[in-house]
Amino acid sequence: MSIESIKPYLNFIHPLMMWGLLALTLYAFYLGMKWRKTRLSEGDAKKELLKGRFNIRHHQIGSLLLALMIVGSIGGMAVTYINNGKLFFGPHLLVGLGMTGIIATSTAMVPFMQKGNDTARYTHIALNGALVGLFGWQAVTGVQIVQRILADF
């Protein structure tokens, strides 16, 4: 099988992966909020919430998200270049690159948060809130791009 025979189908790997990552991002957000609730709880409520291991699950999903988002961003650019011989400079590309920077910066806050730094914690929360909003916008613009690709198919 040659690259030419699979080139048309490469266009759909990035969007499918990103939609899966959007769902995983929302799950990580849920786990983060549950961990925050656990941290702020006291007594029996805290003991019960600790059983959910939200901190561990949030950390693991966040690490997976970081890796997959970077690979997905690079992969999307690679497929665009393979199929078109160039990247299309526009909002979808720029926001995607910005999101890659945001998730890396958010992840960089973790060692500081583990030492109790509240500024890092609030920065992490704010960055991830922005990331979720941008991800939603990227999903919409990505569908528009896929529709254009399908129209040319």
Side-chain angles (χ1 to χ4, degrees):
M1 186 181 320
S2 72
I3 190 76
E4 291 301 318
S5 64
I6 63 169
K7 263 174 90 169
Y9 305 103
L10 289 175
N11 288 316
F12 305 105
I13 295 170
H14 173 76
L16 290 172
M17 180 181 180
M18 288 297 142
W19 273 94
L21 285 180
L22 175 57
L24 197 60
T25 299
L26 294 173
Y27 180 60
F29 179 74
Y30 164 79
L31 291 173
M33 291 298 104
K34 291 296 273 186
W35 173 236
R36 181 166 177 74
K37 182 177 180 180
T38 302
R39 284 183 58 254
L40 299 175
S41 294
E42 296 177 4
D44 289 337
K46 186 169 190 159
K47 285 180 188 174
E48 193 60 34
L49 285 167
L50 283 170
K51 292 177 185 176
R53 299 171 31 125
F54 299 114
N55 59 334
I56 294 167
R57 291 166 44 205
H58 177 69
H59 189 85
Q60 290 171 337
I61 296 295
S63 296
L64 182 63
L65 270 174
L66 172 65
L68 292 177
M69 187 173 290
I70 290 171
V71 169
S73 296
I74 293 168
M77 290 184 289
V79 167
T80 300
Y81 190 80
I82 288 168
N83 284 328
N84 302 289
K86 65 179 181 177
L87 292 179
F88 296 102
F89 187 78
H92 190 80
L93 174 65
L94 295 175
V95 170
L97 290 171
M99 288 171 58
T100 303
I102 288 171
I103 197 167
T105 305
S106 175
T107 304
M109 297 293 113
V110 172
F112 302 104
M113 292 167 31
Q114 290 173 333
K115 292 181 179 173
N117 185 321
D118 281 338
T119 301
R121 190 173 318 283
Y122 294 127
T123 301
H124 178 82
I125 292 167
L127 288 171
N128 287 337
L131 184 69
V132 169
L134 291 171
F135 218 148
W137 183 84
Q138 283 289 86
V140 172
T141 61
V143 167
Q144 293 167 350
I145 293 167
V146 169
Q147 287 172 336
R148 285 192 301 250
I149 292 168
L150 289 173
D152 294 338
F153 209 54

